[in-house]
Amino acid sequence: VKEGENTEASAAQKGDIVFVDLDRILMEYDMANDLRAVVETKVQNIQAEITRRETNLANAVNKYQEKAQKGLMTRTVAETEAQKLQQQEIEFNNYANQKNNEINEELLVMNNQINDAIATFIKKYNEEKQYAMIILTQGDAEGDGVVSLSAPVITADPTLDITNDVLAGLNEEYIASKNENQSK
């Protein structure tokens, strides 16, 4: 249990307005952590390939410039080489842009999957609990008790914080789903 974290069970009753700390959910939800790990690996691999190709292009440009400065090729050969290098640069830029778009798409899909899982769970959860309203808030991620002024909830009765209950339910549901998929 982290310092500043609500350790009591929520005392919220049917019809109450309650809140969930989204920062904690995103940090401690197993599905979010698993998806982040997969996406981070993909992103690292893509960035490594972009860097490798960029280095190869830079080496080719340096080699060309060195030969040109030393007069080791004719003007016609130099022009042909320059055109090839320009084409390679265009191809590299297209590749890098495509891969960066893929990274953005992976991040968007990951965020959509996490958001959908949380929203679906909270809707189902509230069918049983029947709270008047569940507010997602962000803040107090450092556990210092200071909530950002941009958070929709500045202060609240800690007994209305259902984060622990929601987090436990999300992780339980995710583990069950994961085990079910592995047994197929």
Side-chain angles (χ1 to χ4, degrees), residues 2-5 139-148:
K2 296 177 186 167
E3 183 181 324
E5 190 176 288
D140 198 19
E142 292 80 39
D144 59 6
V146 177
V147 177
S148 163

Side-chain angles (χ1 to χ4, degrees), residues 64 67-68 71-86:
Y64 164 79
K67 284 181 180 179
L72 300 177
M73 56 185 149
T74 66
R75 192 179 75 189
T76 305
V77 170
E79 288 174 1
T80 303
E81 287 295 316
Q83 288 173 352
K84 283 182 188 176
L85 288 172
Q86 285 176 338

Side-chain angles (χ1 to χ4, degrees), residues 18 98 126 140 146 148 166:
V18 295
Q98 175 193 353
N126 200 41
D140 198 19
V146 177
S148 163
V166 169

Side-chain angles (χ1 to χ4, degrees), residues 23-63:
D23 288 340
R24 272 202 49 227
I25 297 292
L26 293 175
M27 287 174 49
E28 298 176 31
Y29 181 24
D30 291 341
M31 178 183 155
N33 290 324
D34 288 353
L35 287 175
R36 253 192 309 275
V38 168
V39 170
E40 284 173 9
T41 300
K42 286 181 182 179
V43 167
Q44 288 171 352
N45 290 339
I46 288 170
Q47 288 174 334
E49 180 60 19
I50 289 172
T51 300
R52 185 189 69 76
R53 289 180 181 213
E54 186 175 36
T55 300
N56 288 346
L57 179 59
N59 289 341
V61 168
N62 289 339
K63 205 182 277 187

Side-chain angles (χ1 to χ4, degrees), residues 2-156:
K2 296 177 186 167
E3 183 181 324
E5 190 176 288
N6 180 18
T7 55
E8 299 174 19
S10 172
Q13 303 294 313
K14 175 181 175 179
D16 282 351
I17 296 174
V18 295
F19 66 96
V20 175
D21 181 348
L22 186 59
D23 288 340
R24 272 202 49 227
I25 297 292
L26 293 175
M27 287 174 49
E28 298 176 31
Y29 181 24
D30 291 341
M31 178 183 155
N33 290 324
D34 288 353
L35 287 175
R36 253 192 309 275
V38 168
V39 170
E40 284 173 9
T41 300
K42 286 181 182 179
V43 167
Q44 288 171 352
N45 290 339
I46 288 170
Q47 288 174 334
E49 180 60 19
I50 289 172
T51 300
R52 185 189 69 76
R53 289 180 181 213
E54 186 175 36
T55 300
N56 288 346
L57 179 59
N59 289 341
V61 168
N62 289 339
K63 205 182 277 187
Y64 164 79
Q65 288 173 339
E66 186 180 309
K67 284 181 180 179
Q69 287 173 351
K70 291 181 178 179
L72 300 177
M73 56 185 149
T74 66
R75 192 179 75 189
T76 305
V77 170
E79 288 174 1
T80 303
E81 287 295 316
Q83 288 173 352
K84 283 182 188 176
L85 288 172
Q86 285 176 338
Q87 184 59 37
Q88 287 176 357
E89 184 177 8
I90 290 169
E91 289 170 5
F92 168 76
N93 288 333
N94 289 340
Y95 174 82
N97 288 336
Q98 175 193 353
K99 291 302 181 181
N100 284 322
N101 288 340
E102 285 178 25
I103 288 171
N104 290 335
E105 188 177 356
E106 287 278 351
L107 292 170
L108 180 65
V109 168
M110 176 193 73
N111 287 330
N112 288 343
Q113 289 174 327
I114 293 167
N115 292 339
D116 182 62
I118 292 170
T120 300
F121 176 82
I122 289 177
K123 184 177 180 182
K124 186 172 63 174
Y125 172 85
N126 200 41
E127 287 173 5
E128 177 190 331
K129 300 291 185 176
Q130 298 183 348
Y131 296 122
M133 184 181 298
I134 299 175
I135 299 172
L136 291 178
T137 187
Q138 290 179 291
D140 198 19
E142 292 80 39
D144 59 6
V146 177
V147 177
S148 163
L149 291 178
S150 64
V153 176
I154 301 300
T155 185

